[in-house]
Amino acid sequence: MAGTFGNPEVVQEEVDILIIGGGMAACGAAYEIMPWIGAAKEAGVDITVKLVDKAAMDRSGAVAQGLSAINTYIGPNQDPADYARMVSNDLMGITRDDLAYDLGRNVDDSVHLFEEWGLPIWKTVNGERFDGATWPKEGGKLLKDGGDPVRSGKWQIMINGESYKWIVAEAAKKALGSDNIQERVFIVKLVNDANDKNRVAGAVGFSTREDKVYVYKFKACLLVAGGCVNIFRPRSVGEGQGRAWYPVWNAGSTYTMAAEAGAELTMMENRFVPARFKDGYGPVGAWFLLFKAQATNAYGEVYMTKNKELLNDYPPYGQAAVPASCLRNHLMLKEMKEGRGPIYMDTVTALAKLRETLSPREVKHLEAEAWEDFLDMCIGQCGIWVGENIEPEKKNSELMPTEPYLLGSHSGCCGIWASGPDDVGAPTTEEHPDAALIPAHLPQGWNWGYRSMTTVRGLFTAGDGVGASGHKFSSGSHTEGRMCAQSMVKFVMDNKDWVPTLDTSVEALVEEIYRPVRTFLEHKDYTTAIDVNPHYITPRMLQFRLQKIMDEYVAGVATYYTTNGHMLAVAEEKLGMLKEDAMKMRAKDLHELLRAWENYHRILTAEAHMKHIQFRKESRYPGFYYRMDYNLVDEENWHCFVNSVYDKETKTWTVFKRAHKDLVDKSKLFKPAAH
């Protein structure tokens, strides 16, 4: 029976494995899983799989607009242990070396696949650079055959990547099969098993195109719905609203759904505040790494040189050959707060220096590459340059630190506590002095049987979902998805006779999901102005309230990323009231229903972020946020993971410490002392 608005058709389906999301991690799992399912079938176990995405896989996830570089490619001449060292230092010393090292030793295979599928990767052949769109008549090789990529940094390689996601999604869809893919369905809740509260048994969501609610049962689930954007008031407001650095459709769904299912979160106090081209959020990596540009204050002073002594306040992270990302922001913010802004990317000098050694033809090509860097991944920045009459060889462009973002795959490490590999010497027991405060049902150590499974049985994650392990980027997220494919098939084979039973009735789930619709239909005629009504609030207005709270009290741009215990207490109170008011959100159509549920996810993710900052009595990430009542990096007391679990019945958080342990020697990162 076809559904109507307010009375949706209910579609129930049972599969063995459900993949939630359509970004790089989901595509990695989709590409990898069918051969493992085939192997299971040969062993006598039939396994079914379905991928469900709230958007469309071709343009879903953080790579949707494209990219101009792959930021994680180890190559044959580098050591994954060095990669793990870099990840640790950039995230101020608190990461899981087991996860980073495991990724580093596997990631290149995904990059080789991208090239086989048609992604143009820049190469150097006989001393001449080719940008991937052209190729020499002789001497050109694929990376896997010894091709020499053009590196913009130690771990980054340049690509022509405007169609990057299309290429990866095409391979995933072809491998998985169209019958196993459901697009335009927004999964909003995981459902625990009726007989085992620490196990997932199902998920529920709704179509964003039709009046349908989908209820899935499964044995295992991969939750890869991205990071979290727009919980802080953005710099781009008014006519620029909706412009962000990370994808605006990342609503914290990964973190909230996992938390409500009982999964242990980790490092949710971490955030990323990228310094990007102002207003367009255009990428800066190619300018710093490939074009060798420098950032200056308004007086032409290079603040990384001028303020370098500040790095000595944060040993050893400031002494590394490349200081931590947050510390580079810290040096920039000093200039801004002391009135020496705007901050500029000195494109004029950088291009002029390159002209000294290049032919006119090469210069023209270089200028084209400067524009291509934006056209590949951030077309809006080209619009800014054109609209403001900026030619990079003639006029410098402003830089600005953005509003904060929560993520686990870029230069951030918040997310979910996940099981790592079992062959790298990771801890097998919990060694923190406060271990007695950790809830007893949670596993000890860093591995509990299945790579990338969370602390909830059957629930796996990858990409932005995996916490304490940043700098995966696009290639690493794809790789983690592939790892999960193998792990999930193994889990299902080990639990082939288990039957999932939902702990909540289908009727109750449908009623909860369509609550905003029911609220609207019941009260819409109370006023003549549909958006002004004492009985409901629009999702748009509720989001503005959330962003105002986070911006003003939880270290947003309004306070130069500063907060303190008193401000966090105010935020806690206001978020509590906001959660109550969120129950009165309306949805006048399916698009608003999507926005309403994105808000539910954002609010709980925001609360997790606030609770973790409140618990950690230090400023671990200066330049990203400062707790002014504990404005130091306290290595003695806080060189540890801050983790948490959420109780959906009592709606309370339990926050606690877990011990950190280095698995690789970090001393190699740091510059030798001057003699």
Side-chain angles (χ1 to χ4, degrees), residues 315-328:
Y317 315 109
Q319 280 75 46
V322 179
S325 294
C326 64
L327 297 180
R328 301 198 296 272

Side-chain angles (χ1 to χ4, degrees), residues 603-624:
I603 290 170
L604 199 66
T605 299
E607 187 176 50
H609 186 54
M610 179 275 299
K611 294 293 287 186
H612 275 237
I613 293 176
Q614 192 177 51
F615 183 83
R616 184 180 279 278
K617 303 296 194 295
E618 65 161 357
S619 297
R620 173 57 55 169
Y621 306 103
F624 289 171

Side-chain angles (χ1 to χ4, degrees), residues 19 21-33 51 57-58 60 114 117 165 167-173 175-176 222 224 477-478 481-482:
I19 301 171
M24 291 296 285
C27 285
Y31 170 77
E32 183 74 17
I33 201 166
L51 183 149
M57 289 175 69
D58 288 341
S60 186
F114 302 158
W117 297 337
K165 186 63 202 304
I167 291 168
V168 173
E170 180 183 38
K173 291 191 291 185
L176 193 62
L222 177 61
V224 281
S477 296
H478 189 270
R482 294 176 66 195

Side-chain angles (χ1 to χ4, degrees), residues 53-312:
D53 184 17
K54 79 173 179 182
M57 289 175 69
D58 288 341
R59 289 295 189 189
S60 186
V63 185
Q65 280 197 88
L67 288 178
S68 58
I70 290 175
N71 285 338
T72 305
Y73 180 70
I74 310 302
N77 300 317
Q78 299 195 105
D79 185 353
D82 286 335
Y83 165 72
R85 292 182 183 97
M86 177 276 295
V87 173
S88 175
N89 187 79
D90 195 67
L91 292 164
M92 299 296 283
I94 306 178
T95 55
R96 290 262 303 270
D97 285 347
D98 62 328
L99 299 177
Y101 180 82
D102 196 29
L103 183 80
R105 65 183 175 178
N106 287 289
V107 67
D108 287 4
D109 189 58
S110 279
V111 179
H112 297 162
L113 287 173
F114 302 158
E115 188 174 29
E116 288 181 23
W117 297 337
L119 180 67
I121 296 178
W122 294 18
K123 303 281 176 45
T124 299
V125 182
N126 299 324
E128 186 175 357
R129 191 169 72 196
F130 294 85
D131 64 8
T134 58
W135 200 249
K137 292 181 179 179
E138 297 180 0
K141 295 180 181 179
L142 297 175
L143 290 180
K144 68 174 185 176
D145 296 326
D148 184 15
V150 174
R151 284 198 179 269
S152 55
K154 185 174 177 63
W155 311 105
Q156 300 86 358
I157 60 174
M158 298 298 295
I159 64 174
N160 278 6
E162 68 279 356
S163 298
Y164 186 5
K165 186 63 202 304
W166 279 81
I167 291 168
V168 173
E170 180 183 38
K173 291 191 291 185
K174 184 177 179 180
L176 193 62
S178 59
D179 291 343
N180 298 318
I181 298 171
Q182 179 76 56
E183 297 181 329
R184 306 294 180 186
V185 171
F186 184 17
I187 299 295
V188 297
K189 282 187 75 71
L190 297 176
V191 187
N192 293 90
D193 185 68
N195 303 308
D196 184 352
K197 292 300 182 183
N198 196 44
R199 187 167 191 160
V200 283
V204 59
F206 59 92
S207 169
T208 62
R209 294 292 186 270
E210 305 173 280
D211 294 300
K212 291 182 179 180
V213 169
Y214 288 82
V215 181
Y216 295 97
K217 291 183 180 180
F218 49 72
K219 292 183 174 70
C221 167
L222 177 61
L223 177 59
V224 281
C228 192
V229 177
N230 273 341
I231 61 172
F232 286 86
R233 185 159 46 196
R235 290 194 181 274
S236 293
V237 296
E239 65 175 347
Q241 187 179 355
R243 187 73 194 97
W245 167 74
Y246 218 51
V248 291
W249 52 83
N250 275 197
S253 302
T254 302
Y255 310 133
T256 288
M257 286 195 279
E260 289 187 324
E264 181 178 349
L265 304 184
T266 185
M267 302 303 289
M268 288 301 294
E269 68 275 23
N270 178 264
R271 79 244 312 244
F272 183 41
V273 180
R276 293 296 182 263
F277 284 105
K278 187 175 180 293
D279 298 329
Y281 294 77
V284 298
W287 279 99
F288 280 133
L289 300 173
L290 187 66
F291 301 125
K292 309 303 179 186
Q294 293 184 303
T296 73
N297 63 19
Y299 302 95
E301 299 170 309
V302 178
Y303 59 80
M304 285 299 296
T305 301
K306 178 186 177 188
N307 298 327
K308 65 181 180 180
E309 295 302 319
L310 293 178
L311 297 173
N312 295 329

Side-chain angles (χ1 to χ4, degrees), residues 343-656:
I343 303 298
Y344 288 104
M345 178 74 81
D346 189 358
T347 60
V348 175
T349 301
L351 293 177
K353 286 184 177 179
L354 288 169
R355 279 196 205 94
E356 294 174 1
T357 58
L358 299 177
S359 67
R361 175 180 171 274
E362 289 172 323
V363 168
K364 195 69 177 176
H365 186 68
L366 187 74
E367 291 173 354
E369 286 176 357
W371 286 90
E372 182 70 24
D373 183 39
F374 293 152
L375 290 169
D376 274 347
M377 61 182 293
C378 187
I379 295 173
Q381 188 64 50
C382 291
I384 296 289
W385 273 9
V386 171
E388 296 186 354
N389 297 321
I390 294 174
E391 298 175 67
E393 68 274 20
K394 298 178 181 178
K395 183 178 179 181
N396 293 330
S397 292
E398 283 188 62
L399 298 180
M400 180 69 75
T402 69
E403 64 278 3
Y405 299 91
L406 306 188
L407 45 83
S409 68
H410 201 280
S411 299
C413 62
C414 75
I416 306 166
W417 192 248
S419 180
D422 59 6
D423 63 342
V424 295
T428 57
T429 59
E430 179 51 55
E431 301 171 1
H432 197 277
D434 295 343
L437 302 178
I438 300 174
H441 72 280
L442 297 174
Q444 293 199 13
W446 293 4
N447 171 273
W448 45 96
Y450 302 92
R451 175 66 161 93
S452 294
M453 190 169 79
T454 71
T455 57
V456 174
R457 295 194 72 204
L459 178 60
F460 294 76
T461 193
D464 280 322
V466 175
S469 170
H471 285 269
K472 291 166 276 195
F473 301 104
S474 59
S475 54
S477 296
H478 189 270
T479 302
E480 280 192 332
R482 294 176 66 195
M483 292 178 182
C484 287
Q486 181 179 359
S487 298
M488 289 190 295
V489 170
K490 183 178 186 298
F491 180 85
V492 171
M493 292 180 70
D494 291 345
N495 294 270
K496 62 181 185 297
D497 297 325
W498 180 74
V499 179
T501 305
L502 304 184
D503 72 353
T504 308
S505 70
V506 171
E507 293 75 18
L509 291 170
V510 172
E511 190 63 30
E512 181 179 4
I513 285 177
Y514 260 64
R515 183 197 302 116
V517 174
R518 307 262 201 268
T519 298
F520 171 72
L521 293 176
E522 180 181 354
H523 298 293
K524 64 183 177 65
D525 295 327
Y526 187 82
T527 59
T528 55
I530 194 172
D531 291 339
V532 181
N533 194 304
H535 297 291
Y536 58 64
I537 183 171
T538 67
R540 177 183 172 89
M541 292 298 118
L542 191 101
Q543 186 177 6
F544 286 159
R545 285 178 57 187
L546 170 64
Q547 291 174 344
K548 180 177 172 64
I549 293 168
M550 297 299 289
D551 186 42
E552 294 179 354
Y553 298 102
V554 194
V557 300
T559 62
Y560 269 116
Y561 312 106
T562 62
T563 186
N564 60 47
H566 298 290
M567 295 168 74
L568 293 167
V570 173
E572 186 172 27
E573 181 182 16
K574 289 180 178 291
L575 285 173
M577 290 186 281
L578 186 68
K579 287 199 291 185
E580 293 179 13
D581 290 347
M583 296 299 101
K584 297 294 185 181
M585 262 193 297
R586 72 126 199 243
K588 64 181 175 62
D589 52 34
L590 291 175
H591 182 73
E592 271 203 341
L593 184 60
L594 176 145
R595 294 299 184 216
W597 273 98
E598 287 181 335
N599 278 345
Y600 292 139
H601 293 169
R602 284 190 175 99
I603 290 170
L604 199 66
T605 299
E607 187 176 50
H609 186 54
M610 179 275 299
K611 294 293 287 186
H612 275 237
I613 293 176
Q614 192 177 51
F615 183 83
R616 184 180 279 278
K617 303 296 194 295
E618 65 161 357
S619 297
R620 173 57 55 169
Y621 306 103
F624 289 171
Y625 81 81
Y626 305 86
R627 269 206 66 165
M628 298 307 292
D629 46 353
Y630 297 97
N631 193 18
L632 77 161
V633 173
D634 185 351
E635 292 287 276
E636 180 179 354
N637 297 300
W638 289 99
H639 192 92
C640 62
F641 300 105
V642 170
N643 290 12
S644 65
V645 289
Y646 180 72
D647 187 324
K648 66 181 178 182
E649 303 300 330
T650 62
K651 302 188 186 316
T652 57
W653 293 90
T654 301
V655 190
F656 50 90

